[in-house]
Amino acid sequence: MTAGDKGGEHTVVARRAGRASAAVGVVAAVLVAAGCQGGGASGQAAAAPAQAAEASRSAAPATTPKPAELSIVPADDAARVLPSTPVVVRAVSGTLNTVTLTDAQGGSVTGSRDSTGAWTSTQRLRPDTAYTVTARAFGVDGTPSTVTSSFRTLEPKVTATYGILSSGMTVGVGMPVSIQFDSAVTTEAMRAEVERRVSVTTEPKQAGAWGWLDNRQLMWRPADYWQPGTRVTVKAPLTGVQTGPDKWVGNDDEASFTIGSSMVSTVDMKSHTMTVRRGGQVIRTIPVSTGKPGPLTETRYGTKVIIRKEGTVRMDSSTVGIPKGDPDYYNLETKWNLRVTWTGEYLHSAPWSVGAQGSANVSHGCVNMSPANAQWMFENSKVGDVVKFTGSNRAFQPHEGIGVWMYDFAGWKAQSALR
């Protein structure tokens, strides 16, 4: 049933037809009176055929309104509709005029028209959300009508969540755009769908590419380190994207950040020194002690990025596989911490190893510095600054931190799910 069937425009047509029938009754009464007149009323008698013809025309049945017939998918009252389902409204007869698709809070979903006039939504739907379609159309005879239809999307077992790192920050030249999911995007096809929907804008423009470090971390990096001063904007319209069995994203997100000065440090684990360069110029050389040899203690070589400035951190070796009771076990508080891997490598103050700094590697994987050097490094560093490590036999795996610079640019582009 259309809105016109319930009243509105169609009711107006029906009321007009009623008034016409009453008029016919009046005209008929006039004609009967005229027929009783004598021959002296020849003028009126002469007019009777014309009046009778007009009365005949007025007495003809009113035309039945013909509103448009519409097809709407999903069907009215449909439940557990997949968020990926496109909403399609088309005219089976008549002409489709306008379509709106809204949720209960008034949020709208955009759509577009094709060459046949059909309307199709162009955004994914949110999970566990009620939607209403309102379609206005004209019938073949021009009769206007309005049709509404409602449905609800499925409630997933898991709502996938994610974050965009560095939002609103000024970061170093090594920090990529980083979209990190809290759980796996389980298939390559799903990762490809995520990748299709995200975008990056840079000012000034720089060439770059998306890639996955693992099934949770999607990143975009330029071909080389960022140009200082670059403004980076990322958009992630991921509402309604499936990331696993009965797992769907429930929100869009966007962020921007700015690239600060270039600061690139090199830790030479054989010479036990860290050379700090800003804008390509050496500004400090720091004696350090790095991880002692061993599968769990040797510092990883490779190009890393400062992930976070964490200040004071309590370090417990049981979290990296060295349990209490082991001769190498430790549990202590450290200061001026700069995190460079998710696996627990930091640059930090180590007053207990000052005697070895510059001459021997005695740590459990971190870069040890004197309190004064550690404080200086902390105060002069940014998230996203690059720290290169050389001189060990234990390789840094890209997924263990922000490992985008472990690839050349061709290798990085091969990490895309759209290859």
Side-chain angles (χ1 to χ4, degrees):
M1 178 179 292
T2 67
D5 295 326
K6 298 175 184 177
E9 296 93 348
H10 295 176
T11 302
V12 172
V13 173
R15 286 176 181 167
R16 287 174 179 166
R19 288 195 294 270
S21 297
V24 171
V26 172
V27 172
V30 171
L31 290 177
V32 170
C36 295
Q37 301 298 321
S42 59
Q44 294 178 0
Q51 292 174 342
E54 178 62 28
S56 176
R57 286 193 295 272
S58 298
T63 302
T64 302
K66 296 180 180 179
E69 181 182 354
L70 302 181
S71 167
I72 301 177
V73 178
D76 193 25
D77 293 328
R80 290 189 58 78
V81 173
L82 294 180
S84 55
T85 302
V87 178
V88 181
V89 184
R90 67 178 69 251
V92 177
S93 67
T95 303
L96 183 63
N97 185 18
T98 62
V99 177
T100 59
L101 175 59
T102 57
D103 60 26
Q105 288 71 47
S108 61
V109 177
T110 59
S112 63
R113 306 287 283 265
D114 65 19
S115 59
T116 70
W119 185 95
T120 303
S121 58
T122 52
Q123 291 177 261
R124 294 285 183 112
L125 306 174
R126 288 202 313 274
D128 193 24
T129 301
Y131 287 95
T132 298
V133 180
T134 303
R136 293 178 173 82
F138 295 101
V140 292
D141 61 351
T143 299
S145 60
T146 300
V147 177
T148 61
S149 179
S150 299
F151 64 90
R152 190 175 190 90
T153 53
L154 66 80
E155 180 181 1
K157 290 182 180 178
V158 178
T159 299
T161 55
Y162 66 96
I164 303 175
L165 299 189
S166 309
S167 179
M169 297 174 62
T170 295
V171 299
V173 296
M175 178 57 73
V177 171
S178 180
I179 301 175
Q180 297 198 348
F181 287 83
D182 293 327
S183 60
V185 182
T186 55
T187 70
E188 186 163 3
M190 291 174 182
R191 292 191 289 275
E193 182 60 22
V194 169
E195 198 173 327
R196 286 188 193 96
R197 301 181 71 82
V198 295
S199 63
V200 171
T201 303
T202 66
E203 299 176 9
K205 188 174 182 179
Q206 290 180 246
W210 289 103
W212 293 81
L213 286 181
D214 55 25
N215 58 19
R216 290 179 48 253
Q217 300 182 87
L218 173 62
M219 299 186 179
W220 191 98
R221 53 154 275 197
D224 203 347
Y225 298 144
W226 292 106
Q227 299 174 32
T230 300
R231 177 75 172 174
V232 183
T233 301
V234 55
K235 295 185 177 181
L238 298 178
T239 296
V241 173
Q242 186 174 14
T243 61
D246 209 2
K247 182 171 62 172
W248 303 79
V249 178
N251 69 291
D252 296 343
D253 202 0
E254 62 180 84
S256 61
F257 56 89
T258 302
I259 307 303
S261 62
S262 172
M263 184 159 159
V264 179
S265 302
T266 302
V267 177
D268 185 332
M269 292 180 274
K270 289 185 177 179
S271 68
H272 317 292
T273 59
M274 178 166 65
T275 304
V276 184
R277 292 177 172 84
R278 180 172 290 154
Q281 302 299 311
V282 175
I283 59 172
R284 199 171 183 103
T285 300
I286 299 174
V288 299
S289 178
T290 60
K292 60 186 177 181
L296 298 178
T297 57
E298 190 171 15
T299 304
R300 298 160 176 84
Y301 71 83
T303 301
K304 305 168 190 175
V305 171
I306 295 175
I307 301 170
R308 288 200 295 250
K309 298 177 69 171
E310 297 186 10
T312 300
V313 174
R314 176 159 291 279
M315 296 188 175
D316 183 347
S317 67
S318 64
T319 63
V320 292
I322 305 174
K324 191 172 183 177
D326 189 289
D328 286 327
Y329 175 76
Y330 57 89
N331 187 325
L332 47 85
E333 187 175 87
T334 60
K335 294 183 178 180
W336 309 115
N337 281 270
L338 299 169
R339 179 187 280 271
V340 291
T341 75
W342 299 120
T343 53
E345 288 187 6
Y346 290 84
L347 285 64
H348 65 81
S349 171
W352 58 86
S353 71
V354 168
Q357 292 165 20
S359 59
N361 293 325
V362 298
S363 84
H364 290 77
C366 292
V367 175
N368 288 182
M369 293 174 281
S370 70
N373 280 326
Q375 182 177 354
W376 180 91
M377 188 68 184
F378 186 90
E379 292 174 347
N380 283 274
S381 295
K382 302 180 297 301
V383 168
D385 285 345
V386 176
V387 185
K388 299 178 180 180
F389 290 77
T390 65
S392 80
N393 295 310
R394 186 184 184 192
F396 168 52
Q397 302 302 316
H399 65 274
E400 293 178 324
I402 298 179
V404 296
W405 305 108
M406 292 298 288
Y407 302 89
D408 62 19
F409 192 49
W412 175 247
K413 289 190 288 186
Q415 294 298 112
S416 168
L418 298 176
R419 60 187 184 279

